[in-house]
């Protein structure tokens, strides 16, 4: 398995759940030039991946001021991190995050989670919870790389 930059982002988008696609596809033309897609391939098939944003992503526009703070502090935003359901439980998310840090050793990252059960996963992978945000009454947490 390898982690690589994907030049065909549409292939990565094809493995995402429908509600995630709705959150990124309509905006992709505005983000394409400032976003990097990194994918994990196994036998030339994309099995996991995520996006590295250099500007406020569409799912964070409700908290643009907060997002701008992190970008101005030199952080990149990690979003749409996804592992194919059939490949879960194989440490691919950890592999993606660790490989990302190896590829960009000088870069600091931030991300948000809505599924608070993922706290342990991100802490285990070198992130710490920074603060909570509320989007339409739903809690999201900001995590930053340590």
């Amino acid at each position: 398995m390898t982690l690589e930059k994907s030049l065909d982002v549409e292939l990565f988008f094809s493995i995402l759940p429908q509600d995630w696609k709705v959150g990124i596809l309509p905006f992709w033309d505005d983000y394409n030039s400032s976003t990097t897609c990194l994918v994990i391939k196994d036998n030339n098939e994309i099995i996991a991946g995520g996006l590295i944003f250099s500007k406020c992503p569409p799912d964070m526009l409700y908290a643009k001021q907060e997002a701008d703070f992190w970008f101005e502090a030199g952080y990149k935003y990690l979003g749409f991190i996804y592992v194919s359901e059939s490949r879960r439980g194989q440490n691919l998310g950890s592999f993606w995050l660790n490989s990302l840090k190896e590829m960009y050793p000088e870069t600091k990252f931030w991300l948000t989670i809505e599924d608070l059960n993922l706290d342990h996963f991100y802490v285990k992978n070198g992130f710490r919870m920074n603060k909570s945000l509320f989007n339409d009454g739903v809690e999201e947490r900001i995590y930053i790389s340590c």
Side-chain angles (χ1 to χ4, degrees):
M1 279 180 284
T2 60
L3 180 74
E4 60 188 62
K5 288 184 182 179
S6 178
L7 300 177
D8 188 355
V9 179
E10 303 301 322
L11 283 177
F12 170 62
F13 291 159
S14 72
I15 72 167
L16 295 178
Q18 188 59 36
D19 60 330
W20 288 34
K21 291 177 189 179
V22 170
I24 188 63
L25 287 175
F27 309 98
W28 185 243
D29 287 344
D30 294 332
Y31 288 89
N32 186 21
S33 64
S34 62
T35 304
T36 301
C37 179
L38 296 179
V39 297
I40 299 172
K41 287 186 174 180
D42 188 18
N43 293 324
N44 263 351
E45 177 188 354
I46 294 175
I47 57 173
L51 302 175
I52 306 169
F53 291 88
S54 298
K55 68 179 189 177
C56 186
D59 61 334
M60 285 302 298
L61 290 174
Y62 78 94
K64 187 173 182 332
Q65 187 174 8
E66 182 73 31
D68 288 344
F69 168 83
W70 291 106
F71 289 118
E72 289 168 14
Y75 286 74
K76 304 279 186 193
Y77 180 79
L78 302 179
F80 298 88
I81 301 169
Y82 188 76
V83 175
S84 294
E85 288 189 32
S86 64
R87 299 302 296 261
R88 294 194 180 157
Q90 299 176 19
N91 293 315
L92 294 174
S94 295
F95 176 79
W96 190 88
L97 288 168
N98 290 323
S99 299
L100 168 79
K101 292 175 187 176
E102 289 174 13
M103 287 177 83
Y104 301 97
E106 304 299 318
T107 304
K108 301 177 285 186
F109 299 100
W110 71 286
L111 55 89
T112 61
I113 63 170
E114 293 175 13
D115 181 351
L116 304 185
N117 293 321
L118 292 173
D119 174 82
H120 175 74
F121 170 78
Y122 284 106
V123 169
K124 171 182 87 167
N125 282 288
F127 287 79
R128 69 176 171 82
M129 202 278 273
N130 177 267
K131 72 188 293 187
S132 291
L133 300 174
F134 292 88
N135 183 14
D136 291 331
V138 176
E139 181 181 10
E140 286 189 60
R141 292 183 182 164
I142 294 178
Y143 286 75
I144 58 172
S145 57
C146 301

PDB file of all heavy atoms in Angstrom, residues 3 13 21 28 33 41 103 108-109 144:
ATOM      1  N   LEU A   3       0.763   5.768  -0.027  1.00  0.00           N
ATOM      2  CA  LEU A   3       0.043   7.037   0.059  1.00  0.00           C
ATOM      3  C   LEU A   3       0.600   7.918  -1.044  1.00  0.00           C
ATOM      4  O   LEU A   3       1.820   8.062  -1.172  1.00  0.00           O
ATOM      5  CB  LEU A   3       0.256   7.708   1.420  1.00  0.00           C
ATOM      6  CG  LEU A   3      -0.465   9.040   1.592  1.00  0.00           C
ATOM      7  CD1 LEU A   3      -1.955   8.818   1.778  1.00  0.00           C
ATOM      8  CD2 LEU A   3       0.096   9.805   2.777  1.00  0.00           C
ATOM      9  N   PHE A  13     -13.372  10.888  -4.857  1.00  0.00           N
ATOM     10  CA  PHE A  13     -14.748  11.265  -4.550  1.00  0.00           C
ATOM     11  C   PHE A  13     -15.721  10.104  -4.767  1.00  0.00           C
ATOM     12  O   PHE A  13     -16.732  10.004  -4.082  1.00  0.00           O
ATOM     13  CB  PHE A  13     -15.188  12.466  -5.386  1.00  0.00           C
ATOM     14  CG  PHE A  13     -14.499  13.760  -5.023  1.00  0.00           C
ATOM     15  CD1 PHE A  13     -14.462  14.795  -5.930  1.00  0.00           C
ATOM     16  CD2 PHE A  13     -13.900  13.950  -3.785  1.00  0.00           C
ATOM     17  CE1 PHE A  13     -13.845  16.007  -5.616  1.00  0.00           C
ATOM     18  CE2 PHE A  13     -13.278  15.140  -3.456  1.00  0.00           C
ATOM     19  CZ  PHE A  13     -13.253  16.174  -4.375  1.00  0.00           C
ATOM     20  N   LYS A  21     -20.255  13.684  -0.584  1.00  0.00           N
ATOM     21  CA  LYS A  21     -20.107  14.221  -1.942  1.00  0.00           C
ATOM     22  C   LYS A  21     -20.856  15.536  -2.082  1.00  0.00           C
ATOM     23  O   LYS A  21     -20.358  16.484  -2.696  1.00  0.00           O
ATOM     24  CB  LYS A  21     -20.630  13.218  -2.973  1.00  0.00           C
ATOM     25  CG  LYS A  21     -19.797  11.977  -3.100  1.00  0.00           C
ATOM     26  CD  LYS A  21     -20.436  11.012  -4.094  1.00  0.00           C
ATOM     27  CE  LYS A  21     -19.759   9.680  -4.083  1.00  0.00           C
ATOM     28  NZ  LYS A  21     -20.388   8.731  -5.012  1.00  0.00           N
ATOM     29  N   TRP A  28     -16.031  22.067  -5.595  1.00  0.00           N
ATOM     30  CA  TRP A  28     -14.696  21.609  -5.932  1.00  0.00           C
ATOM     31  C   TRP A  28     -13.947  22.543  -6.885  1.00  0.00           C
ATOM     32  O   TRP A  28     -12.741  22.757  -6.738  1.00  0.00           O
ATOM     33  CB  TRP A  28     -14.717  20.183  -6.475  1.00  0.00           C
ATOM     34  CG  TRP A  28     -13.321  19.684  -6.700  1.00  0.00           C
ATOM     35  CD1 TRP A  28     -12.750  19.327  -7.872  1.00  0.00           C
ATOM     36  CD2 TRP A  28     -12.308  19.538  -5.699  1.00  0.00           C
ATOM     37  NE1 TRP A  28     -11.443  18.959  -7.681  1.00  0.00           N
ATOM     38  CE2 TRP A  28     -11.147  19.082  -6.348  1.00  0.00           C
ATOM     39  CE3 TRP A  28     -12.259  19.763  -4.316  1.00  0.00           C
ATOM     40  CZ2 TRP A  28      -9.956  18.833  -5.670  1.00  0.00           C
ATOM     41  CZ3 TRP A  28     -11.073  19.517  -3.636  1.00  0.00           C
ATOM     42  CH2 TRP A  28      -9.943  19.056  -4.311  1.00  0.00           C
ATOM     43  N   SER A  33      -7.552  24.176  -6.917  1.00  0.00           N
ATOM     44  CA  SER A  33      -6.186  24.701  -7.037  1.00  0.00           C
ATOM     45  C   SER A  33      -5.493  24.906  -5.692  1.00  0.00           C
ATOM     46  O   SER A  33      -4.274  25.023  -5.646  1.00  0.00           O
ATOM     47  CB  SER A  33      -6.186  26.005  -7.830  1.00  0.00           C
ATOM     48  OG  SER A  33      -6.906  26.999  -7.122  1.00  0.00           O
ATOM     49  N   LYS A  41      -3.693   3.532  -1.998  1.00  0.00           N
ATOM     50  CA  LYS A  41      -4.081   2.582  -3.034  1.00  0.00           C
ATOM     51  C   LYS A  41      -3.596   1.192  -2.653  1.00  0.00           C
ATOM     52  O   LYS A  41      -2.530   1.026  -2.072  1.00  0.00           O
ATOM     53  CB  LYS A  41      -3.470   2.965  -4.383  1.00  0.00           C
ATOM     54  CG  LYS A  41      -4.106   4.157  -5.034  1.00  0.00           C
ATOM     55  CD  LYS A  41      -3.525   4.359  -6.421  1.00  0.00           C
ATOM     56  CE  LYS A  41      -4.249   5.460  -7.151  1.00  0.00           C
ATOM     57  NZ  LYS A  41      -3.670   5.646  -8.507  1.00  0.00           N
ATOM     58  N   MET A 103       5.315  13.025   4.968  1.00  0.00           N
ATOM     59  CA  MET A 103       5.424  13.769   3.716  1.00  0.00           C
ATOM     60  C   MET A 103       5.589  15.266   3.956  1.00  0.00           C
ATOM     61  O   MET A 103       6.236  15.958   3.171  1.00  0.00           O
ATOM     62  CB  MET A 103       4.172  13.555   2.853  1.00  0.00           C
ATOM     63  CG  MET A 103       4.071  12.195   2.218  1.00  0.00           C
ATOM     64  SD  MET A 103       2.520  12.004   1.291  1.00  0.00           S
ATOM     65  CE  MET A 103       2.956  12.793  -0.258  1.00  0.00           C
ATOM     66  N   LYS A 108       1.849  21.966  10.174  1.00  0.00           N
ATOM     67  CA  LYS A 108       0.917  21.717  11.267  1.00  0.00           C
ATOM     68  C   LYS A 108      -0.477  21.586  10.656  1.00  0.00           C
ATOM     69  O   LYS A 108      -0.796  22.238   9.667  1.00  0.00           O
ATOM     70  CB  LYS A 108       0.940  22.874  12.271  1.00  0.00           C
ATOM     71  CG  LYS A 108       2.318  23.101  12.886  1.00  0.00           C
ATOM     72  CD  LYS A 108       2.318  24.285  13.813  1.00  0.00           C
ATOM     73  CE  LYS A 108       2.288  25.565  12.991  1.00  0.00           C
ATOM     74  NZ  LYS A 108       2.429  26.778  13.768  1.00  0.00           N
ATOM     75  N   PHE A 109      -1.303  20.737  11.275  1.00  0.00           N
ATOM     76  CA  PHE A 109      -2.628  20.452  10.732  1.00  0.00           C
ATOM     77  C   PHE A 109      -3.700  20.663  11.783  1.00  0.00           C
ATOM     78  O   PHE A 109      -3.458  20.546  12.975  1.00  0.00           O
ATOM     79  CB  PHE A 109      -2.696  18.998  10.241  1.00  0.00           C
ATOM     80  CG  PHE A 109      -1.720  18.685   9.157  1.00  0.00           C
ATOM     81  CD1 PHE A 109      -0.536  18.023   9.445  1.00  0.00           C
ATOM     82  CD2 PHE A 109      -1.963  19.066   7.851  1.00  0.00           C
ATOM     83  CE1 PHE A 109       0.375  17.739   8.442  1.00  0.00           C
ATOM     84  CE2 PHE A 109      -1.055  18.784   6.837  1.00  0.00           C
ATOM     85  CZ  PHE A 109       0.118  18.125   7.138  1.00  0.00           C
ATOM     86  N   ILE A 144      -5.950  19.817  16.812  1.00  0.00           N
ATOM     87  CA  ILE A 144      -4.730  20.318  16.167  1.00  0.00           C
ATOM     88  C   ILE A 144      -3.615  19.295  16.350  1.00  0.00           C
ATOM     89  O   ILE A 144      -3.579  18.561  17.342  1.00  0.00           O
ATOM     90  CB  ILE A 144      -4.310  21.704  16.716  1.00  0.00           C
ATOM     91  CG1 ILE A 144      -4.082  21.652  18.216  1.00  0.00           C
ATOM     92  CG2 ILE A 144      -5.342  22.761  16.362  1.00  0.00           C
ATOM     93  CD1 ILE A 144      -3.473  22.928  18.787  1.00  0.00           C
TER      94      ILE A 144
END
